[in-house]
Amino acid sequence: MAEDSPKRRKANFNEAETEVLIEQVLKHEQLLFAAGPGRASAGQKRKVWELIRHKVNPVAACPRDVEDLKKRWRDLKRRDRSKLCRLSQGCGPPAPPALGLLLAP
């Protein structure tokens, strides 16, 4: 019977989950997003995302997988850029602030 029911969406990220995600991604930012010859392999990045998942899930409303965390991170970055755009009011490209400064509501 459960197979016939429509798929329910997961709960929204709560504040604690978001804080842990931001803290952990910024802690491992160099490893996850570095470019150039010294960048990490896909396997190393996958292990780091798994580590982050293990840190987020204890405070999570529902179990999160790595893809959920990556999507949330992309959404946070997009929202941060959007806030910057509104704050600068189109006065040229703003200087990139440290991520997390503008993530507060």
Side-chain angles (χ1 to χ4, degrees):
M1 293 275 177
E3 297 170 354
D4 296 333
S5 64
K7 183 177 178 182
R8 295 184 52 99
R9 70 179 190 86
K10 290 185 178 181
N12 290 342
F13 275 74
N14 61 35
E15 189 174 325
E17 289 174 278
T18 303
E19 287 178 14
V20 172
L21 175 64
I22 292 170
E23 174 188 313
Q24 291 299 311
V25 170
L26 291 178
K27 181 179 176 181
H28 300 287
E29 185 176 25
Q30 185 64 31
L31 186 62
L32 291 172
F33 307 114
R39 69 177 181 234
S41 70
Q44 290 171 316
K45 291 179 184 181
R46 190 176 24 228
K47 286 180 184 176
V48 171
W49 278 111
E50 283 295 327
L51 173 75
I52 293 171
R53 183 178 67 84
H54 287 294
K55 298 278 186 170
V56 170
N57 276 338
V59 297
C62 64
R64 305 292 183 183
D65 57 22
V66 170
E67 289 307 313
D68 295 335
L69 299 177
K70 287 180 178 181
K71 183 179 185 309
R72 178 66 173 162
W73 179 251
R74 284 190 304 268
D75 291 346
L76 288 170
K77 287 193 316 184
R78 179 187 46 80
R79 190 173 61 180
D80 194 43
R81 281 193 294 261
S82 172
K83 279 187 180 182
L84 279 175
C85 225
R86 285 194 306 262
L87 289 174
S88 69
Q89 298 176 357
C91 301
L99 191 63
L101 291 178
L102 298 174
L103 291 178

